[in-house]
Each structure stands twice: as C-alpha cells, then as structure tokens.
Amino acid sequence: MKLVLLKSNLKNGLDIVGRAIGQNLNLPVLGGVLIRADGNQIQLSATNLELAIVRGVFGKVVDSGAVVVPYAVLANIVSNISSERIHLEKTKQGNLEFKTDNYTATIQGTDEKEFPIVPKVEKRDGGVELGAQALKDSLAKVVIAAEATELRPEIAGVLFSGESAMLKLAATDSFRLAEAKILGSQVKVKDKKTFEATIPLKTAQELTRVIEDEETISLYIENNQALFETENTSLVSRLIEGAFPDYSSIVPKSIDTKISVKKEELISALKLTGSFATRSNDVRLKTSDKKIIEIYSSDNAVGENKYLIPAKIEGPAVESIFNWKYLLDGVRAATGKEITLGLNGGDKPALIKDPSDDTYFYILMPIRPA
C-alpha cells in the first residue's frame, strides 16, 4: 500500500471515524483504524463492535493495500505535523511508514484480518432518503429525552418510524418524552413500506456529529442493523432489541389549562429559580391569574425565590412541580419565539410545544409533592 494525501483530508477523516473507536483490553485492535486503499478509493474504518464508521478520504493511490494502526498515535501525528503533503506506505514487515518533507515515523501495524468485519446492510427494505440538516435538527430535539439505561434497554435509544412521506423520531427516559417528525419534501421513504427501529443513543448522538449539514443521507434497516450513508461516510449500528413502548396513551388528547408564554423569558425564569431548587431540582409553576404565571423554588439551606412572567392563560388555575432542568430542555427545543404549556391539573403530564409547529412536542411528568 502506498498513498499520497493532504493533511486536511486525512485529519477530517480521522476525526470522523474516531467517534467509533473502542476501548477493550481483550481486543486491542478496536483501538485501531483500518486504512484500506483499493483502486482509486481510500477508506478509513473504526468500530467498537456496536457502531462502525467508514469514511472515504481523497488522495492518490499509488499501490493498493490495507493496514490497521493505533488510532491515537496516527491522529496525534496528523494533528501536530506542519506539512500539508503526507506519504503513507505499508512496509514488508506490515507496519506503516509515515513521511512528510521534514518528518518520518514508523507505526506498528496489524494485519487487516485481525480487524472486526464491518456488517453489510443490503440497500433494500426500509430505504429512506432525507436531508442531513433535517435529521440532525430532529435528533437534537429528541435525544434530550433519551437515557442510556441497562434497566430498560428497549428505551435506551431513539425510535425511528417510517411511513410514506414521514420519518418520526421519538425518545423517552420514562419521565419525559420527545417526538419530532420530518415531513413532505424533506424525506422520501423509497419503498413506501412502514418500519420501526430503535437506534442506540450513542449512535444517534454520533450521527449529529459526523454528517455534514448540506449532505443527503440514506437510511437502510436490515438484520438488526441500520446503515446511515452519505456520499463519503457510512455509519453502521446495531439496533436495540425489544419493542419501544407505545407512548400514544400518554400524549394528552385534550388540554384543560393552556399557557402561552415567551420562550426566552421562561428560559430566564427557570435558570434563575433553578439556582434555589433542592437536590431534586424541583420548581413550582403556578397560575395566579389569567395574565401571570409564577415560577418558585426554595431550599432550607439556600433560601427562596420567585419569578413572575406575563402570559396568556386559558382554563382553570393550576399548580405543578417540575424538574426545572427537564422543563428547560423541552422549552429550549421548541423552535418558535413563543411556546405553549398544556396542563391537565397538577399531577398529569405537561405538553410543551411551539403553537406554530406541529412537527415537535415534548411531554414532561410532574414531580409529586412529598
């Protein structure tokens, strides 16, 4: 194997595949990156056995071949060299020779056969094509409600549900739930079949970091694996086994008390009053009349504070206690300048959304008084 690359291209590729590097004392090859050159293509691959990322890198292939080298060593060298032009060559001993105009290094290599096989996903069932920006925006809105838990593995990720002209994403940690829809021209379900698959939280988080905004991304589901593919990047992930819970029953069908409030003012109120909250992060939300909501918190060791916010209130007076950090997450995720809080008494789930956006909502369970 003999290659010529630009530092910027190699560094970008390493930064992307590095998100899948594994740490396993029993399988040290997971700490390596596979460099493979075939024809005129150069690919970098990394995996932690649950997630694999393959990235195409622009460069000149003089001789084809493959080698696995420690990711941390190669990434450190590339980050710190000053030269832009890099020569990589696999030696007869199976190592990687790294050269620039003023630097040389020999990095211990491992045979490609020792590297775990990246699962192949056939591009058939469940094919979805959508804009990367739309997917990243929707993922960012729902991952806030997910939790990597071993107690309930079926919810330790993001549910992807596809139908004719819609991709729906949902996540929950059992205290809160977020759902986002990607609709219309932003998404195309190629074979018109419905599907459901739960993507691990780690995969969902890394997707937002490795795909570029202007790209088009394709999703394929097969044999308990998901493939997310752009022109230069492939991300393969296992799926979470077990059915994601049917959450339709907890979505309020009607609202007793509807509160309309400026988003930024509510964010400020929660940040301020949250500093006086107890260890359970509880704040009390109360409607005092039809034009004011009160956010209150107290702690015997700190003190108390109260914030009054102008609001438009429809329905009976209500008082609820919420985890202020969870409430803040939902308020921030709503896109508009104004949000609505839908409450059905003080002990039932609250619905948070932008009144002008039907593609996203956030549901939060109240804290029951001690």
Side-chain angles (χ1 to χ4, degrees):
M1 185 187 77
K2 195 172 184 179
L3 315 174
V4 182
L5 308 95
L6 295 180
K7 170 186 173 177
S8 56
N9 291 340
L10 181 56
K11 185 178 186 305
N12 177 260
L14 288 170
D15 288 346
I16 288 174
V17 301
R19 311 299 309 186
I21 288 293
Q23 299 294 331
N24 190 319
L25 295 178
N26 297 321
L27 199 59
V29 73
L30 295 182
V33 56
L34 169 62
I35 306 172
R36 179 189 287 124
D38 186 15
N40 62 350
Q41 293 187 327
I42 303 171
Q43 288 186 334
L44 307 180
S45 303
T47 182
N48 59 17
L49 299 184
E50 293 188 352
L51 169 68
I53 301 177
V54 180
R55 173 73 175 186
V57 177
F58 292 109
K60 179 180 179 181
V61 179
V62 180
D63 291 317
S64 298
V67 66
V68 180
V69 295
Y71 171 82
V73 174
L74 181 59
N76 183 64
I77 292 173
V78 173
S79 294
N80 289 289
I81 60 171
S82 56
S83 300
E84 182 64 16
R85 192 177 179 87
I86 296 171
H87 295 260
L88 300 179
E89 185 173 353
K90 183 179 178 181
T91 67
K92 292 181 180 179
Q93 294 76 27
N95 299 322
L96 182 67
E97 194 171 76
F98 187 110
K99 288 184 180 180
T100 70
D101 54 4
N102 63 353
Y103 176 82
T104 62
T106 301
I107 306 173
Q108 189 75 34
T110 301
D111 191 280
E112 179 188 12
K113 294 178 182 178
E114 301 296 322
F115 194 78
I117 296 173
V118 176
K120 298 292 184 182
V121 178
E122 295 294 333
K123 301 175 184 179
R124 296 183 302 193
D125 295 339
V128 179
E129 187 176 284
L130 68 160
Q133 183 66 66
L135 178 59
K136 290 173 69 172
D137 289 347
S138 295
L139 280 172
K141 291 177 180 180
V142 300
V143 294
I144 55 175
E147 180 186 18
T149 173
E150 295 182 359
L151 296 177
R152 295 190 62 192
E154 71 276 8
I155 65 170
V158 175
L159 174 68
F160 279 61
S161 302
E163 45 191 85
S164 59
M166 179 179 71
L167 180 65
K168 183 167 62 178
L169 311 181
T172 182
D173 61 5
S174 74
F175 298 103
R176 49 188 174 160
L177 166 76
E179 181 192 273
K181 296 176 182 177
I182 306 173
L183 304 170
S185 61
Q186 293 180 309
V187 62
K188 178 182 179 182
V189 180
K190 297 178 182 178
D191 57 13
K192 306 299 183 183
K193 293 181 180 178
T194 61
F195 72 89
E196 285 194 354
T198 306
I199 309 297
L201 177 58
K202 169 76 171 174
T203 299
Q205 291 170 330
E206 297 306 343
L207 265 174
T208 65
R209 299 178 178 123
V210 305
I211 57 177
E212 299 171 4
D213 295 349
E214 65 276 8
E215 293 183 305
T216 297
I217 189 165
S218 297
L219 163 63
Y220 301 93
I221 305 290
E222 186 182 75
N223 295 332
N224 203 38
Q225 300 286 340
L227 167 64
F228 296 87
E229 186 177 66
T230 68
E231 183 179 359
N232 296 313
T233 305
S234 297
L235 186 152
V236 180
S237 171
R238 69 170 181 85
L239 301 179
I240 291 178
E241 296 182 3
F244 194 87
D246 180 5
Y247 56 86
S248 59
S249 61
I250 69 167
V251 180
K253 303 298 187 293
S254 61
I255 299 296
D256 293 338
T257 303
K258 180 181 176 182
I259 302 170
S260 300
V261 62
K262 297 295 183 184
K263 173 181 173 179
E264 291 303 321
E265 186 143 20
L266 182 53
I267 287 174
S268 296
L270 291 171
K271 286 180 177 179
L272 280 170
T273 55
S275 61
F276 283 75
T278 63
R279 289 185 179 181
S280 61
N281 294 315
D282 56 312
V283 296
R284 192 177 299 269
L285 184 151
K286 179 180 179 181
T287 60
S288 54
D289 59 36
K290 296 296 183 182
K291 296 182 179 179
I292 297 289
I293 59 171
E294 175 186 302
I295 310 292
Y296 170 86
S297 69
S298 65
D299 186 327
N300 291 335
V302 178
E304 62 181 359
N305 70 157
K306 177 173 65 176
Y307 196 114
L308 302 179
I309 309 176
K312 180 181 178 182
I313 302 168
E314 301 174 19
V318 67
E319 183 173 344
S320 289
I321 303 172
F322 297 104
N323 178 306
W324 74 268
K325 292 183 178 180
Y326 288 178
L327 181 55
L328 181 62
D329 283 343
V331 172
R332 278 177 166 163
T335 52
K337 294 182 179 180
E338 184 176 277
I339 65 160
T340 59
L341 302 175
L343 303 174
N344 291 316
D347 59 350
K348 294 182 180 178
L351 177 68
I352 303 165
K353 62 178 299 183
D354 172 358
S356 63
D357 181 10
D358 289 330
T359 65
Y360 179 73
F361 66 78
Y362 182 94
I363 293 174
L364 178 61
M365 293 295 296
I367 297 173
R368 297 187 182 277

